[in-house]
Amino acid sequence: MANQEDLFKKIISHSKEYGYIFPSSEIYDGLSAVYDYGPYGVELKNNIKQYWWKAMTQMHDNIVGIDAAIFMHPKTWKASGHVDAFNDPMIDNKDSKKRYRADVLIEGYMDKLEDKANKEIEKAAKRFENFDAEMYRSTNPRVLEYDNRRKEIAQRLATAMTNADLADMKAIIEELEIACPESGSRNWTEVRQFNLMFSTQIGALAAEDSTIYLRPETAQGIFVNFLNVQKTTRQKLPFGIAQIGKAFRNEIVARQFIFRMREFEQMEMQFFIAPGTEMDWYRHWKEKRMKWHLSLGTPESMLRFHDHENLAHYANAAVDIQFNFPFGFKELEGIHSRTDFDLKQHQELSGKKLMYFDPEQNASYIPYVVETSVGCDRMFLSVMSQAYTEESVPDAKGEDATRIVLKIPAPLAPVKCAILPLVKNKEELTTKAREIYHQLKMSFECQYDDKDAIGRRYRRQDAIGTPFCVTVDFETLEDNQVTIRDRDTLLQERVSIDKVAAIISEKTDLKSLLLKL
Ligand code: GAP
């Protein structure tokens, strides 16, 4: 755990040092849970978005995109249930004056029980040969006690959340003797509901009916445009609408770097289907989305499904795809069967029909919806936390040195290729290297670098995750060949200049990922 905490700190400082992520308005000491993406960060983020977008729209004849406005008519959020039910239960510690999410405090306690069970299993694994962890988990009395206790608490919390039973949440915190992490005291206020939407005023007059909200999810922009899109693209059910955009939530617990922010980006797709088919499509999209994550080379052991214990007000089935972040398994993507809740609500509040005429059934109905929703920033964090690697390599003098390398999947890397003259003071070399750079930048994102010794330039490219370095040396001037160095294997291959673009394109094009879907 200490190592993982250490790793997380290193990822945060590396992200800042190498232009991936900066704290927002840092010169004014930053703004809590708001971050800016730097020059490499924006490229990586754009590549993640592009991969998702192509996987959704280009690879599916029946999915189209939109880009709806952030501001929407305030009735949207009444209809969707966000005005009345988009709340987090919060509790304050009277001594530290710190505010927490009551459910997060309880989940933290449950995580500790899970850690204890896992530690017992790890200890036993060291003692026995041919150790069967599953069997041990289901038979060892101490592990069973931890697991059963955790399940009991999870069940009680789920019921309290579903029924908005704030008194019971407070009772759970008291019974478990949960202390404030800051003050160590158990001097808690009552649990209260806190709406997560940011509001502002539209127009010059601050009248009550001029209050509008910054959207807390992009999905509603899709729902209200359902018929516009269906009619203009002449899609038949089943069909989907995809969207990438900003969402805003006034999170109470806004920690863990870009994992939980107040301004973030979502990549959402609503798949409109006939009523009664939702469970088949729900399973279909669960599988498809997991495949998308695996296509990036993420090991299966780092991803898992986690069924929701308490369903959101709009869902009849919901699952998270969790990723093993440096702080443990947490939600990366949500897949929800949203029934006809949203369209029905919008039809009722707007008074406009949102029905679909199904020619096969010769009937009109409000479609059901299965949604896939992945946070772009969480995807970014999952890529960074898998990519950050420290390796021991010999330095120029043959002594042990540490190489920090971001092993970002090549098609997502901000810079695909760096072109480096072996030495900088030889004009023949720099001219040739620049010539190659100007050719290659037509095919993909490139950098030319001739500052410092070649070893330091390699390290710099490793630290920003550039998958290929092309080195131009004196032999290049004779045989028109260059060396391509692979970031991950460190192997160097000598190839003719006219083949470089094709070799690197093949390995860095998003097509190489799309082919795996
Ligand atoms: N339209 C459904 C919806 O918004 P959600 O589970 O609340 O569902 C979907 O959010 C995804 O958005 C999450 O899986 C997560 O990746 C991302 N997300 C949610 N809140 C976030 C936050 N405060 N900061 C960063 N990402 C967030």
Side-chain angles (χ1 to χ4, degrees):
M1 197 61 193
N3 278 347
Q4 287 300 91
E5 268 170 36
D6 211 31
L7 168 70
F8 192 36
K9 282 186 193 148
K10 284 180 179 174
I11 292 167
I12 297 172
S13 68
H14 190 87
S15 296
K16 178 156 183 251
E17 189 179 343
Y18 286 92
Y20 273 87
I21 297 173
F22 307 126
S24 159
S25 34
E26 195 188 9
I27 57 167
Y28 296 103
D29 298 332
L31 184 63
S32 166
V34 186
Y35 289 91
D36 297 339
Y37 286 82
Y40 297 116
V42 67
E43 296 288 345
L44 171 56
K45 199 175 177 205
N46 282 343
N47 293 340
I48 291 172
K49 289 196 270 191
Q50 228 199 338
Y51 179 41
W52 182 88
W53 189 256
K54 280 177 184 278
M56 283 298 181
T57 61
Q58 197 171 310
M59 303 300 280
H60 293 96
D61 299 346
N62 61 348
I63 301 183
V64 293
I66 62 162
D67 182 15
I70 287 171
F71 291 140
M72 299 182 71
H73 194 287
K75 277 191 185 167
T76 308
W77 306 110
K78 186 74 190 156
S80 67
H82 285 83
V83 170
D84 299 316
F86 194 54
N87 300 319
D88 272 348
M90 62 164 196
I91 188 164
D92 291 34
N93 183 269
K94 292 182 194 163
D95 299 316
S96 67
K97 311 272 181 261
K98 288 269 171 202
R99 178 164 293 174
Y100 301 92
R101 258 174 64 180
D103 56 327
V104 170
L105 283 179
I106 298 167
E107 278 165 6
Y109 185 93
M110 283 156 43
D111 287 346
K112 281 189 193 141
L113 289 174
E114 184 161 14
D115 284 349
K116 282 183 184 170
N118 289 340
K119 275 199 189 114
E120 288 289 330
I121 295 170
E122 274 166 33
K123 261 198 285 173
K126 285 186 192 143
R127 284 205 312 272
F128 304 113
E129 255 178 54
N130 298 329
F131 180 72
D132 183 342
E134 291 279 311
M135 173 72 90
Y136 194 81
R137 178 148 228 150
S138 59
T139 51
N140 178 272
R142 200 172 308 168
V143 175
L144 271 176
E145 197 186 315
Y146 289 136
D147 279 352
N148 288 339
R149 185 86 189 99
R150 188 168 47 81
K151 281 181 202 151
E152 259 171 45
I153 300 169
Q155 185 58 50
R156 188 165 158 201
L157 174 63
T159 312
M161 292 286 282
T162 310
N163 301 336
D165 186 346
L166 305 182
D168 198 46
M169 264 182 250
K170 169 92 187 279
I172 301 174
I173 290 171
E174 283 175 343
E175 282 166 37
L176 299 178
E177 299 187 354
I178 297 174
C180 166
E182 192 89 1
S183 67
S185 92
R186 298 184 178 86
N187 194 6
W188 296 110
T189 60
E190 295 308 307
V191 177
R192 281 168 293 162
Q193 294 285 30
F194 179 79
N195 193 286
L196 299 185
M197 282 197 295
F198 284 103
S199 62
T200 186
Q201 305 289 327
I202 198 160
L205 290 176
E208 203 191 309
D209 58 3
S210 64
T211 298
I212 56 164
Y213 299 98
L214 299 189
R215 66 181 176 197
E217 61 168 8
T218 56
Q220 298 305 325
I222 294 180
F223 287 121
V224 299
N225 277 299
F226 156 69
L227 273 189
N228 283 339
V229 174
Q230 192 266 323
K231 284 183 178 154
T232 51
T233 57
R234 295 168 45 234
Q235 288 283 351
K236 290 204 170 78
L237 256 55
F239 82 95
I241 305 178
Q243 178 170 217
I244 299 177
K246 292 262 185 177
F248 304 82
R249 295 182 190 178
N250 197 1
E251 298 281 1
I252 305 170
V253 183
R255 290 195 299 243
Q256 295 168 320
F257 194 35
I258 56 169
F259 179 81
R260 196 179 300 286
M261 296 198 285
R262 296 199 163 107
E263 173 180 342
F264 57 99
E265 229 167 331
Q266 290 185 315
M267 307 189 282
E268 297 203 300
M269 193 275 300
Q270 316 297 129
F271 201 66
F272 298 89
I273 51 180
T277 62
E278 70 268 25
M279 281 308 146
D280 287 341
W281 284 113
Y282 175 68
R283 279 188 288 274
H284 171 90
W285 281 108
K286 260 177 83 171
E287 200 186 302
K288 276 239 164 188
R289 292 303 304 147
M290 183 58 99
K291 207 166 172 191
W292 185 86
H293 290 284
L294 292 170
S295 71
L296 287 164
T298 305
E300 273 183 47
S301 60
M302 295 292 279
L303 292 161
R304 70 181 187 193
F305 286 116
H306 175 79
D307 287 313
H308 280 208
E309 267 127 20
N310 46 312
L311 294 173
H313 56 273
Y314 48 72
N316 69 355
V319 68
D320 291 339
I321 294 178
Q322 292 188 333
F323 172 74
N324 193 5
F325 288 99
F327 38 85
F329 273 99
K330 295 274 176 228
E331 175 184 352
L332 173 62
E333 169 154 8
I335 296 150
H336 308 122
S337 168
R338 288 182 81 130
T339 66
D340 56 357
F341 175 87
D342 300 86
L343 288 181
K344 221 177 183 168
Q345 287 285 105
H346 287 307
Q347 176 168 287
E348 205 170 306
L349 251 87
S350 67
K352 308 271 165 32
K353 282 239 171 308
L354 293 174
M355 312 273 276
Y356 167 78
F357 177 72
D358 185 333
E360 274 157 39
Q361 296 190 31
N362 197 23
S364 290
Y365 52 78
I366 295 181
Y368 269 44
V369 170
V370 169
E371 165 189 75
T372 71
S373 173
V374 55
C376 183
D377 314 271
R378 285 194 192 174
M379 233 1 257
F380 189 108
L381 185 55
S382 103
V383 170
M384 285 298 262
S385 40
Q386 291 178 79
Y388 183 89
T389 315
E390 290 179 3
E391 285 178 353
S392 189
V393 287
D395 66 11
K397 294 181 200 143
E399 283 165 20
D400 253 7
T402 304
R403 174 173 95 110
I404 296 180
V405 49
L406 288 185
K407 295 188 174 176
I408 297 172
L412 300 187
V415 179
K416 309 295 188 223
C417 168
I419 296 92
L420 317 171
L422 187 64
V423 286
K424 72 168 176 181
N425 297 328
K426 291 285 173 205
E427 209 188 317
E428 318 89 278
L429 285 194
T430 53
T431 307
K432 187 76 185 165
R434 280 187 191 280
E435 194 183 291
I436 297 171
Y437 163 69
H438 289 302
Q439 276 169 24
L440 292 182
K441 76 178 185 191
M442 296 296 164
S443 306
F444 34 73
E445 188 70 32
C446 288
Q447 254 186 15
Y448 171 86
D449 188 5
D450 63 13
K451 285 172 214 80
D452 304 320
I454 188 79
R456 288 186 73 165
R457 281 182 272 155
Y458 283 148
R459 293 288 169 274
R460 211 152 47 220
Q461 294 301 330
D462 287 343
I464 61 167
T466 306
F468 300 103
C469 287
V470 166
T471 312
V472 178
D473 56 26
F474 291 104
E475 275 175 56
T476 307
L477 305 175
E478 319 262 294
D479 62 6
N480 243 7
Q481 293 198 342
V482 287
T483 304
I484 302 184
R485 170 190 181 268
D486 183 298
R487 175 197 69 193
D488 300 342
T489 62
L490 295 179
L491 291 176
Q492 306 212 1
E493 191 191 355
R494 194 92 192 146
V495 298
S496 110
I497 292 172
D498 56 7
K499 298 220 167 72
V500 174
I503 293 173
I504 297 182
S505 287
E506 199 200 329
K507 293 179 179 159
T508 60
D509 201 289
L510 283 178
K511 191 175 159 191
S512 63
L513 295 178
L514 293 170
L515 281 169
K516 295 187 197 169
L517 296 177

